[in-house]
Amino acid sequence: RKNTKRVPSFRKLLRTSKIKLDNKLKNKQYKQQSAAKKYRKEQKKLREAVRDAISRKPFPLEECKKKQVVGKREEDEEEDALPLDMMDEDDLKLMEDLAQKASFLTRDLSSNEPVHVKKQKRESVIDKYEKVPRHMQTEPEKELIHLLPIKDKGGIIPQTMEKPVLNVAQDEEEDTEEMEEDEDFNEEPLPVLTPEEMAAQRRRKLQERKVHIAALASAILSEPDNNIKKLKELRAMLMEQDPNVAVIVRKLVMVSLMEVFKDIVPSYKIRPLTEAEKATKVKKETQKLREFEEGLVSQYKFYLENLEQTIKDWKQRKLKKSDVISLKAYKGLAEIAVKCLCELLVALPHFNFHNNIIVLIVPLMNDASKMISELCFEAVKKLFKQDKLGYASLGVVKVISGLVRGRNYDVRPEVLKVFLHLRIKEVELQKDSEDIAPKKKFMTYKEKRKNLSRMQRKWKKAEEKLERELLEAEASESKEKKLKLHTETLNIVFVTYFRILKKAQKSPLLPAVLEGLAKFAHLINVEFFDDLLIVLHSLIASGGLSYRESLHCILSAFHILSGQGDVLNIDPMKFYTHLYKTLFSLHAGGTNGDTEIVLQCLDVMFAKRRKQVSQQRALAFLKRLSTLALHVLPNSSVGILATNRVLMQMFPKMDLLLDNESQGSGVYLPELDEPEHCNAQNTALWELHLLQRHYHPTVQKFAAHLIVGAPTEGSGALSLDLSQRPATELFEAYSMRGMTFNPPVASVTPRRKDTFSQMDSFIDEELNKQLQQHISETVVHKPLDFAKHLKESSLS
């Protein structure tokens, strides 16, 4: 049959795609491989058939090779001479005849079977093994050395000799002794240097290392892509072995590497390449970038491991055998390592291994060394303040929560106070309110076609495209993602707080917990409000809290009630009563700093809940706060008077206290701790007249302003600098923490005079004459004789 398949022309081959040609070539190769495989299988089967046929064929008796038998007999005679004289002639002849037959040598004498019986093909393996003769090896086989043979009348006699076994350990000892002797012989005595020469040598070495470090760092910074291998060379200097300069060089290399990484690290996270990406061919520039990123990540990882190992060695007081640094110097190295880690934690929150740095830094916040713990605190605070999205904050909060729980709440309070610096102002609300809120609707294509003209649709499409490009350029994260991260972070914070409130109420962490609840209470879920208020009131009623802790409890309770707690029907009268009762705990001493928390409580209790506050309660607090302003420091007085101004402007009938006439029945009871029943309307603010004579000018201004009724306009109004600032801000502005007076006191320099003419008017006339006479007399200096009284006593 004629083959009708035509060979494709060259033009047709050009039109054929490359993929199709590749597939054809692969199919052809596959067919060839399968044919070869099939041929190999057939050959294998043929060989197996031939082997089976041979195995089934009966074997003939083996013919004895006379030469080999004769040779064996001669060797046996030479090695073991048989005692032939003890054997009969008939026996000897029988043995010689049997020796000529092969069956005598090959047959198993213990069997009763005839000689020419065919052996079974599949003999048992165990039987074969049992037939093998045993050899007892009592001594190790000795290796023989063949020497030149000797020829005599009988023939050639081979000569052998045992190879002597050398003692390896003894030889090694001899070798080491010889080497030591050679070294001792070669070593020359080192010249003894004076202290000045040693210091000069150390300075020279240190200068060389500094120049080398600077050269490597500048080369890396100038061309990071080409000089990424120099990072390894610079990192190798962390293992400096010269004991004279090892500590300083390692510190310099740590700081230099930290600055280099801060400069050359890209603004994105580098992920490892997949196998498919590694297999694909890419451009030279892309391949170069991949090599740079891979080298950068590996060197950064090794650098962090070196820092971690330095800190571990210091914590474990571990000194390596090959190390040249003392244990005392390890503390300085560990401090530099912690500083570098803190810098990288703040500077590179987006890069690889950031979570590993967090795991290293957070436990060091609870370290016994004050310097290291403060470094870690400041680093975490900076990270919280600059973290806009919340990824890094979430990682730190998770590690802190695990640390507090793992140490069984035995950590320093500052570890929890770090939570106060979180940038969380809003979180996701409940799903019910999200479902109720109207959702934004987008127009479908049909609605656009129906409601918009052709030109409007064109403009709408261009606007949407422009918005997408702007979002990509800004790389801005969506608000929903940010809220989700903040919600998760705050949930972990509240879980930590609630665990401490439940299990460790007498822990020193309680003040930090209450302070944190006071800050984030408005973000707590409504479901926890009732239980949390009960816990806070029980803590206050127990009496085991300090004054500052009780203030934090009150502030937390009112933050809860002023936020989502407005919908709850809860009367916080017991918290008002407790604050009113403990106001006089403030004074000009150690509790003056607590005034800021009191001002925050008053702002939440009255300004944000003015509709729920009665007039009697407001009058009682106004009177007691005016009394309190008399015996605190000036900054506290300014803050309290600013709060009184807010109360007088917010509640219109507060001017009752500016009149001498009493309103209603009863007498004011200042010692009563119930603000509703102390009859504050029957008293007057006489404290303002005393405060008008205060030594601080700002306190005088506020007192004069309140006496005239706290007007917003007119001659009695305050300046904008004082009226528009809140009470807490005024408290900080006029603080005397830095031993400075605000406003500054004008310095008065007294006039100095050379003469004391005015002094004469204060001296009596007779005393003045004696002074003048004494001044006019000429003074004669006589030699001092200290042994005069001794001479007089000896003469007498």
Side-chain angles (χ1 to χ4, degrees):
R1 185 180 175 184
K2 190 176 180 181
N3 189 6
T4 57
K5 189 175 181 182
R6 297 177 62 187
V7 178
S9 63
F10 180 71
R11 191 181 298 277
K12 189 173 182 181
L13 285 172
L14 286 177
R15 286 200 299 268
T16 309
S17 65
K18 187 179 179 181
I19 298 172
K20 194 171 181 181
L21 291 173
D22 291 341
N23 291 338
K24 284 184 177 180
L25 182 62
K26 287 179 181 177
N27 291 336
K28 188 177 180 182
Q29 291 175 353
Y30 178 72
K31 286 179 181 178
Q32 291 175 355
Q33 290 174 1
S34 60
K37 194 174 181 181
K38 189 176 180 182
Y39 176 74
R40 285 196 300 272
K41 284 185 178 180
E42 290 177 354
Q43 291 293 324
K44 188 177 180 182
K45 287 181 180 179
L46 185 61
R47 285 195 299 271
E48 288 177 356
V50 172
R51 198 179 298 119
D52 291 343
I54 292 170
S55 63
R56 293 194 187 103
K57 186 179 177 181
F59 287 97
L61 287 174
E62 296 181 3
E63 294 182 357
C64 178
K65 295 181 181 180
K66 295 182 179 180
K67 294 182 181 180
Q68 292 181 359
V69 174
V70 171
K72 283 183 182 179
R73 190 172 62 196
E74 287 179 357
E75 289 177 4
D76 293 338
E77 288 176 358
E78 287 177 359
E79 291 178 1
D80 298 322
L82 294 173
L84 300 179
D85 54 350
M86 296 176 65
M87 297 179 67
D88 297 333
E89 291 182 2
D90 298 333
D91 296 335
L92 181 61
K93 189 176 182 180
L94 178 63
M95 292 291 291
E96 287 177 356
D97 294 338
L98 288 173
Q100 299 297 325
K101 297 179 181 179
S103 58
F104 177 76
L105 300 175
T106 56
R107 183 185 172 194
D108 186 5
L109 299 177
S110 62
S111 63
N112 297 322
E113 295 178 0
V115 178
H116 300 290
V117 174
K118 178 188 171 184
K119 284 189 178 180
Q120 292 182 1
K121 180 189 171 187
R122 298 186 181 180
E123 192 176 2
S124 175
V125 179
I126 299 173
D127 294 341
K128 286 182 179 180
Y129 179 75
E130 290 295 335
K131 290 172 186 177
V132 175
R134 270 67 165 173
H135 294 285
M136 297 297 291
Q137 187 172 354
T138 56
E139 294 183 0
E141 294 182 358
K142 296 180 180 180
E143 191 175 352
L144 298 176
I145 300 173
H146 294 279
L147 304 176
L148 291 173
I150 299 172
K151 186 176 181 182
D152 61 354
K153 295 178 180 180
I156 296 173
I157 303 171
Q159 297 291 318
T160 57
M161 172 185 174
E162 292 182 3
K163 188 175 182 180
V165 180
L166 298 175
N167 194 349
V168 181
Q170 188 177 355
D171 292 346
E172 288 180 356
E173 289 178 2
E174 291 176 359
D175 294 340
T176 52
E177 287 177 2
E178 290 176 0
M179 290 174 67
E180 287 175 359
E181 289 176 1
D182 295 340
E183 288 176 0
D184 295 340
F185 181 75
N186 293 329
E187 280 183 1
E188 296 180 359
L190 295 173
V192 179
L193 299 177
T194 62
E196 292 81 6
E197 291 174 348
M198 290 175 67
Q201 187 182 14
R202 182 176 178 275
R203 283 195 297 270
R204 180 172 50 78
K205 288 181 180 179
L206 195 58
Q207 186 63 27
E208 290 175 359
R209 303 294 196 282
K210 285 181 180 179
V211 171
H212 189 49
I213 292 169
L216 289 173
S218 58
I220 295 166
L221 291 175
S222 60
E223 292 183 5
D225 300 344
N226 300 327
N227 297 324
I228 193 66
K229 292 183 179 179
K230 293 190 176 180
L231 262 178
K232 185 178 181 181
E233 186 179 351
L234 183 59
R235 189 178 57 79
M237 295 183 72
L238 283 172
M239 300 293 113
E240 177 65 42
Q241 296 299 321
D242 193 343
N244 293 328
V245 295
V247 178
I248 297 178
V249 169
R250 292 188 186 190
K251 288 181 180 179
L252 291 173
V253 174
M254 282 181 189
V255 178
S256 303
L257 279 170
M258 181 260 295
E259 294 295 338
V260 167
F261 280 121
K262 283 169 63 177
D263 285 341
I264 68 173
V265 160
S267 59
Y268 54 88
K269 189 173 182 179
I270 299 172
R271 63 172 180 82
L273 297 175
T274 60
E275 294 297 329
E277 289 174 339
K278 289 179 182 178
T280 55
K281 291 184 178 180
V282 293
K283 296 180 181 178
K284 288 184 178 179
E285 293 81 4
T286 310
Q287 185 64 27
K288 189 176 180 182
L289 179 62
R290 285 183 178 180
E291 291 175 357
F292 166 71
E293 289 178 347
E294 187 178 354
L296 178 64
V297 170
S298 64
Q299 293 302 321
Y300 186 60
K301 178 186 175 184
F302 292 142
Y303 172 61
L304 293 178
E305 287 175 352
N306 287 333
L307 296 181
E308 180 186 8
Q309 191 61 43
T310 303
I311 297 169
K312 281 184 178 178
D313 290 344
W314 170 67
K315 294 287 288 181
Q316 297 172 359
R317 304 294 188 270
K318 183 180 177 183
L319 188 64
K320 297 178 182 176
K321 292 181 180 179
S322 62
D323 217 331
V324 293
I325 296 176
S326 62
L327 282 173
K328 291 182 180 179
Y330 256 110
K331 185 179 180 182
L333 278 175
E335 289 175 357
I336 298 296
V338 172
K339 281 183 182 178
C340 294
L341 286 172
C342 292
E343 287 286 334
L344 294 173
L345 178 76
V346 178
L348 305 176
H350 60 279
F351 197 57
N352 301 50
F353 310 113
H354 189 257
N355 289 335
N356 301 72
I357 300 176
I358 291 172
V359 173
L360 280 174
I361 290 294
V362 168
L364 292 174
M365 293 166 64
N366 196 39
D367 194 76
S369 175
K370 189 175 180 182
M371 181 181 177
I372 289 178
S373 61
E374 285 181 356
L375 280 173
C376 299
F377 285 139
E378 293 301 321
V380 174
K381 287 177 188 176
K382 286 181 185 176
L383 183 66
F384 282 162
K385 288 178 181 177
Q386 75 177 19
D387 186 23
K388 295 180 180 179
L389 186 59
Y391 278 118
S393 300
L394 178 59
V396 174
V397 168
K398 282 182 178 178
V399 178
I400 291 176
S401 177
L403 176 71
V404 173
R405 191 177 180 184
R407 298 274 179 94
N408 198 17
Y409 313 104
D410 185 17
V411 295
R412 299 172 66 179
E414 287 81 1
V415 177
L416 287 183
K417 285 184 180 178
V418 175
F419 289 158
L420 300 175
H421 300 273
L422 285 167
R423 291 182 57 177
I424 299 177
K425 295 182 180 178
E426 55 181 348
V427 293
E428 285 182 341
L429 299 174
Q430 291 182 350
K431 291 184 179 180
D432 298 338
S433 58
E434 288 180 354
D435 296 337
I436 294 169
K439 294 182 179 179
K440 187 178 178 181
K441 293 183 179 180
F442 296 97
M443 294 177 69
T444 60
Y445 177 74
K446 289 184 178 180
E447 290 174 345
K448 285 181 183 178
R449 194 173 182 84
K450 184 178 179 181
N451 299 327
L452 300 177
S453 63
R454 185 177 180 183
M455 186 59 69
Q456 286 175 338
R457 289 200 302 272
K458 193 174 181 180
W459 277 104
K460 191 79 174 174
K461 187 177 180 181
E463 283 179 7
E464 291 176 356
K465 185 179 179 182
L466 182 62
E467 285 178 3
R468 282 196 297 271
E469 289 177 355
L470 287 173
L471 286 172
E472 289 175 0
E474 293 174 2
S476 60
E477 296 288 339
S478 62
K479 190 177 180 182
E480 291 79 9
K481 197 170 185 179
K482 185 177 178 181
L483 285 176
K484 190 175 180 181
L485 286 170
H486 284 183
T487 306
E488 189 177 354
T489 304
L490 207 59
N491 285 342
I492 298 171
V493 172
F494 282 140
V495 165
T496 307
Y497 285 165
F498 294 159
R499 277 181 189 151
I500 295 171
L501 283 176
K502 184 179 179 182
K503 298 181 180 179
Q505 291 188 357
K506 294 184 180 181
S507 169
L509 300 176
L510 192 60
V513 170
L514 296 173
E515 195 172 349
L517 285 174
K519 181 173 181 180
F520 301 116
H522 61 287
L523 301 172
I524 300 176
N525 198 343
V526 185
E527 298 172 359
F528 303 112
F529 280 4
D530 289 334
D531 297 334
L532 193 56
L533 286 173
I534 292 169
V535 170
L536 291 174
H537 182 256
S538 64
L539 285 172
I540 293 173
S542 65
L545 301 180
S546 65
Y547 180 58
R548 188 181 183 87
E549 293 169 5
S550 63
L551 288 177
H552 282 307
C553 282
I554 295 169
L555 187 59
S556 303
F558 281 100
H559 271 305
I560 290 170
L561 295 174
S562 61
Q564 303 175 56
D566 288 338
V567 296
L568 301 175
N569 189 15
I570 298 174
D571 184 19
M573 185 61 200
K574 47 198 172 186
F575 295 107
Y576 280 100
T577 304
H578 183 76
L579 182 63
Y580 182 81
K581 181 172 62 176
T582 58
L583 270 178
F584 285 139
S585 299
L586 294 173
H587 51 75
T591 60
N592 186 71
D594 298 336
T595 309
E596 184 177 6
I597 308 173
V598 172
L599 296 176
Q600 293 175 7
C601 291
L602 293 169
D603 180 53
V604 181
M605 293 163 72
F606 290 98
K608 295 181 180 179
R609 292 178 59 85
R610 58 181 179 271
K611 294 181 180 179
Q612 288 89 355
V613 178
S614 63
Q615 183 181 344
Q616 292 290 333
R617 198 180 302 173
L619 287 169
F621 270 94
L622 182 62
K623 173 63 180 176
R624 183 156 284 199
L625 286 172
S626 301
T627 309
L628 179 64
L630 291 172
H631 59 272
V632 288
L633 291 179
N635 60 333
S636 299
S637 298
V638 171
I640 290 169
L641 293 176
T643 304
N644 286 351
R645 175 178 175 270
V646 173
L647 288 175
M648 293 180 73
Q649 290 178 349
M650 196 174 295
F651 297 93
K653 293 186 179 181
M654 292 293 106
D655 54 356
L656 294 173
L657 299 180
L658 300 176
D659 194 358
N660 288 334
E661 296 181 1
S662 60
Q663 300 289 329
S665 61
V667 180
Y668 173 59
L669 302 172
E671 71 280 357
L672 193 66
D673 293 334
E674 293 291 336
E676 297 284 349
H677 309 292
C678 65
N679 299 324
Q681 73 277 5
N682 295 326
T683 185
L685 297 177
W686 52 266
E687 295 88 357
L688 296 177
H689 290 280
L690 294 176
L691 291 170
Q692 269 189 311
R693 299 179 180 85
H694 199 275
Y695 66 89
H696 200 285
T698 310
V699 177
Q700 294 176 11
K701 290 178 185 178
F702 266 101
H705 172 68
L706 293 177
I707 281 178
V708 295
T712 56
E713 296 177 352
S715 58
L718 286 174
S719 60
L720 292 176
D721 183 39
L722 297 175
S723 61
Q724 293 185 351
R725 297 167 77 180
T728 52
E729 190 176 338
L730 289 168
F731 173 78
E732 288 292 332
Y734 292 97
S735 175
M736 299 174 68
R737 232 175 258 164
M739 300 304 291
T740 56
F741 194 80
N742 187 14
V745 180
S747 60
V748 180
T749 56
R751 296 180 181 179
R752 295 180 180 178
K753 294 186 177 181
D754 297 336
T755 60
F756 298 95
S757 58
Q758 294 180 357
M759 187 177 171
D760 298 339
S761 60
F762 297 101
I763 302 175
D764 191 26
E765 291 182 0
E766 293 181 3
L767 183 60
N768 193 13
K769 287 179 182 180
Q770 290 178 6
L771 286 172
Q772 292 297 332
Q773 184 181 358
H774 181 73
I775 291 169
S776 61
E777 288 179 358
T778 57
V779 181
V780 180
H781 295 284
K782 296 180 181 180
L784 298 174
D785 188 6
F786 295 102
K788 184 179 178 180
H789 65 285
L790 296 174
K791 293 175 182 178
E792 290 175 355
S793 62
S794 63
L795 291 171
S796 62

